């Protein structure tokens, strides 16, 4: 069953005075099944961040639709969006987005506090998650007292505690050293095996090779996708690398061909 459906998504940005238009997304179509772990990759400017912001209901498309568990999230009224995000989506960001004046425990509790949950219920939810993420001993500490990897585990706990339908991860390993990044990716795989659906935007081939499927965005569209299938992580890594090289080479060839066409035309004139 598809938990997320993206249909004919288009996004055009207009400059302040309406003088020019920038097309960030052209025609994006894909779906994510319940319990999938999907990575999204693409060159800078390909539309990945715009797509993630629309899925997170932080931005609105020019046209198209986004269905989460069958509900068109684009039809939700502005004043209801914050509650919708809190109840249905979990977020893991590159820069953690933790509040330094809150303890680790209170950072994790924050979405439940905003939902009006009582302390005993929050405490009951926290125990198993903290144990699973190996941060129980850190709960009374503050973000500036723990490592980057521990901060990201805190962010993952905050994302999980609301029992979201979908976790959106934006470059989650970007601010981590290699050991912490590997640990986080193993954690994502474990969470996914438990049934949690994850959609991750990343530049990292290693991070993407932890997913079950990789989507490649090029020029505002889904250009290609790879399913893990029976491949090992190393084999998937190599195929992702080859695909990114193909995309980059294709762009270079197209650019060169366009240059020669323009130059040839200029000489002909």
């Amino acid at each position: 069953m598809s938990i997320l459906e993206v249909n004919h998504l288009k996004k055009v940005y207009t400059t302040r005075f309406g003088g020019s238009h920038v097309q960030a997304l052209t025609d994006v179509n894909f779906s994510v099944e319940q319990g999938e772990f999907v990575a999204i990759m693409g060159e800078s400017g390909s539309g990945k961040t715009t797509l993630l912001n629309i899925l997170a209901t932080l931005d609105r498309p020019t046209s198209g639709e986004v269905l989460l568990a069958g509900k068109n999230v684009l039809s939700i009224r502005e004043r209801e969006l914050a509650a919708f995000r809190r109840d249905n989506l979990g977020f893991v960001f590159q820069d953690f987005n933790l509040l330094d004046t809150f303890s680790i425990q209170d950072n994790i509790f924050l979405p439940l506090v905003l939902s009006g949950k009582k302390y005993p219920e929050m405490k009951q939810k926290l125990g198993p998650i903290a144990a699973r993420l190996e941060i129980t001993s850190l709960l009374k500490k503050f973000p500036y007292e723990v490592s980057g990897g521990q901060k990201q585990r805190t962010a993952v706990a905050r994302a999980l505690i609301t029992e979201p339908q979908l976790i959106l991860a934006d470059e989650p390993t970007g601010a981590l050293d290699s050991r912490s990044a590997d640990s986080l990716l193993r954690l994502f795989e474990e969470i996914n095996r438990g049934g949690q659906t994850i959609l991750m935007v990343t530049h990292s081939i290693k991070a993407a090779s932890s997913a079950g499927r990789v989507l490649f965005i090029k020029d505002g569209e889904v250009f290609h996708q790879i399913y893990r299938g029976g491949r090992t992580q190393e084999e998937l890594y190599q195929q992702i690398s080859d695909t990114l090289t193909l995309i980059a080479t294709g762009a270079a060839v197209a650019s060169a061909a366009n240059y020669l066409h323009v130059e040839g035309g200029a000489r002909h004139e």
Side-chain angles (χ1 to χ4, degrees):
M1 179 184 116
S2 293
I3 192 169
L4 177 70
E5 292 182 38
V6 177
N7 299 317
H8 302 295
L9 214 57
K10 178 180 178 180
K11 179 65 178 182
V12 178
Y13 291 101
T14 305
T15 56
R16 184 176 178 185
F17 299 106
S20 61
H21 303 277
V22 177
Q23 188 147 329
L25 299 178
T26 306
D27 185 22
V28 176
N29 298 275
F30 68 93
S31 62
V32 176
E33 300 298 306
Q34 175 78 44
E36 264 199 295
F37 182 4
V38 178
I40 296 179
M41 303 194 77
E43 297 178 305
S44 295
S46 61
K48 306 186 303 296
T49 300
T50 299
L51 173 60
L52 190 70
N53 286 339
I54 291 173
L55 299 182
T57 71
L58 299 172
D59 197 1
R60 295 272 180 167
T62 304
S63 60
E65 64 177 6
V66 176
L67 304 176
L68 182 63
K71 181 180 180 65
N72 188 352
V73 304
L74 305 177
S75 67
I76 301 171
R77 289 179 290 187
E78 194 69 34
R79 65 176 179 270
E80 298 170 349
L81 280 175
F84 175 83
R85 283 192 290 268
R86 193 169 60 239
D87 295 340
N88 295 278
L89 301 173
F91 298 95
V92 181
F93 302 97
Q94 176 176 338
D95 56 0
F96 318 127
N97 280 18
L98 301 178
L99 300 175
D100 277 338
T101 55
F102 281 26
S103 67
I104 295 297
Q105 175 175 281
D106 289 343
N107 268 283
I108 298 169
F109 279 163
L110 189 57
L112 297 182
V113 172
L114 295 173
S115 297
K117 303 297 184 185
K118 302 298 183 184
Y119 181 77
E121 181 182 352
M122 294 192 294
K123 193 72 174 174
Q124 184 177 17
K125 283 177 173 286
L126 176 60
I129 292 174
R132 184 179 184 185
L133 302 186
E134 300 178 351
I135 57 172
T136 303
S137 63
L138 306 177
L139 294 177
K140 300 302 182 183
K141 292 182 179 291
F142 289 81
Y144 56 82
E145 297 179 300
V146 303
S147 69
Q150 291 167 333
K151 287 179 184 178
Q152 199 59 295
R153 284 176 175 262
T154 300
V156 172
R158 182 183 56 193
L160 288 174
I161 202 164
T162 59
E163 301 176 13
Q165 298 195 62
L166 176 66
I167 285 183
L168 296 174
D170 184 11
E171 299 286 359
T173 62
L176 302 179
D177 59 50
S178 59
R179 181 178 297 180
S180 296
D182 290 346
S183 177
L184 178 69
L185 293 172
R186 287 194 298 270
L187 179 60
F188 270 13
E189 291 181 66
E190 179 189 334
I191 291 168
N192 175 245
R193 285 194 295 270
Q196 178 65 59
T197 309
I198 302 172
L199 185 67
M200 174 178 66
V201 167
T202 183
H203 280 99
S204 167
I205 299 176
K206 189 169 188 178
S209 63
S210 296
R213 178 162 56 115
V214 184
L215 298 177
F216 298 88
I217 303 290
K218 177 178 168 61
D219 299 329
E221 299 184 30
V222 176
F223 172 77
H224 186 55
Q225 64 178 329
I226 299 173
Y227 284 87
R228 173 186 291 278
R231 296 181 183 89
T232 65
Q233 190 161 339
E234 292 73 20
E235 290 170 339
L236 184 58
Y237 182 103
Q238 187 58 54
Q239 188 159 6
I240 293 169
S241 179
D242 292 344
T243 301
L244 290 174
T245 299
L246 176 64
I247 291 173
T249 304
V253 170
S255 177
N258 183 60
Y259 173 79
L260 291 172
H261 172 74
V262 171
E263 286 294 295
R267 284 195 296 269
H268 179 71
E269 291 173 357

